[in-house]
Amino acid sequence: MGVAVRVIPCLDVDAGRVVKGVNFQNLRDAGDPVEMAKVYDAEGADELTFLDITASSGNRETTYDVVRRTAEQVFIPLTVGGGVRTTEDVDRLLRAGADKVGVNTAAIARPELIREIAERFGRQVLVLSVDARRCPPGTATASGFEVTTHGGRRGTGIDAVEWAERAAGLGAGEILLNSMDADGTRDGYDTELTAAVRARVVIPVIASGGAGSLADFPPAVEAGADAVLAASVFHFGELRVGEVKSTLRKAGHAVR
């Protein structure tokens, strides 16, 4: 059966408010990340990811406050990403109550940041977020996938699979693998991308991007994902965490 597959809702937080529509019943404030985190905790989410999409210096205090309030109310692990550029940023988030910290653009610009964070805090706190897409026509990497920045809008020419492998070697604790091709399509996870990264790293891989129905989750795990992350299908109440777990269980995968 192996290690239990984790189911992780992701919340996009902008200036302390959840963006993307939410229609849970009986929520006093659907825009408050803490309220939503409590719902997901009660529904059996294994972890939560907050993505601070503004992440500008002016909104950092708001983010720390949200993390503090969430950590006081919710006891499952909390990963916070967005705008993390230095070990000091990581330190402040951990002090506020985050369990893990997601790093993306800053690590592409300066890969040594991965080693610095791992050495100072332990690799278990470091989630490397990789926004990958299939190479556009006329460009190519060895794997056929490239790393993007700016929400998938800008290609870097860096091979996404090689980057994941290099980051694991530098000390990343897990890879949050976002398929920019699948993101928002609801056509299912990019199992080819997941399998390609799984073949090259031994650390956990979190599949992200493309979840649209219950049937989408088992193939991601079969492709090698240790965890499945989704956002809008959970926020809109179309799928519940418990339903995803029972679907995975029926497909023969261990869940918590």
Side-chain angles (χ1 to χ4, degrees), residues 79-147:
T79 299
V80 184
V84 175
R85 295 182 180 90
T86 64
T87 56
E88 288 312 307
D89 292 336
V90 175
D91 188 53
R92 292 192 64 188
L93 284 167
L94 295 175
R95 286 174 189 276
D99 298 277
K100 304 179 195 176
V101 174
V103 179
N104 187 336
T105 313
I108 297 168
R110 199 172 68 82
E112 276 305 302
L113 179 63
I114 298 170
R115 181 177 284 135
E116 290 163 14
I117 293 170
E119 285 177 356
R120 182 165 165 190
F121 306 104
R123 66 185 298 156
Q124 76 285 347
V125 308
L126 204 167
V127 179
L128 182 82
S129 185
V130 179
D131 293 340
R133 70 175 179 193
R134 281 176 167 71
C135 294
T139 65
T141 63
S143 69
F145 294 98
E146 73 167 337
V147 175

Side-chain angles (χ1 to χ4, degrees), residues 159-245:
D159 187 306
V161 177
E162 287 175 9
W163 170 233
E165 183 177 32
R166 183 179 176 202
L170 285 167
E174 30 188 3
I175 303 289
L176 171 53
L177 190 57
N178 303 307
S179 166
M180 303 317 287
D181 298 313
D183 188 52
T185 64
R186 304 195 174 202
D187 291 336
Y189 292 95
D190 189 330
T191 52
E192 197 185 331
L193 173 63
T194 303
V197 172
R198 167 79 298 149
R200 301 275 284 273
V201 303
V202 295
I203 59 174
V205 174
I206 304 163
S208 167
S213 70
L214 291 171
D216 293 333
F217 291 89
V221 177
E222 278 132 37
D226 300 270
V228 283
L229 179 142
S232 55
V233 287
F234 289 141
H235 304 339
F236 290 112
E238 291 160 32
L239 303 181
R240 308 315 275 247
V241 171
E243 294 173 325
V244 172
K245 289 192 168 187

Side-chain angles (χ1 to χ4, degrees), residues 16-80:
R17 307 287 294 172
V18 174
V19 294
K20 287 189 181 165
V22 174
N23 53 8
F24 279 123
Q25 300 303 306
N26 307 322
L27 262 192
R28 284 199 306 274
D29 176 1
D32 180 22
V34 184
E35 290 285 311
M36 290 194 64
K38 282 158 73 174
V39 173
Y40 286 134
D41 189 12
E43 288 195 346
D46 297 299
E47 298 184 10
L48 287 170
T49 295
F50 279 174
L51 198 54
D52 179 5
I53 62 170
T54 33
S56 64
S57 52
N59 284 305
R60 291 314 269 174
E61 279 314 316
T62 312
T63 303
Y64 297 125
D65 178 59
V66 166
V67 172
R68 265 184 225 105
R69 290 191 299 123
T70 305
E72 281 163 13
Q73 303 259 355
V74 173
F75 301 102
I76 53 178
L78 178 62
T79 299
V80 184

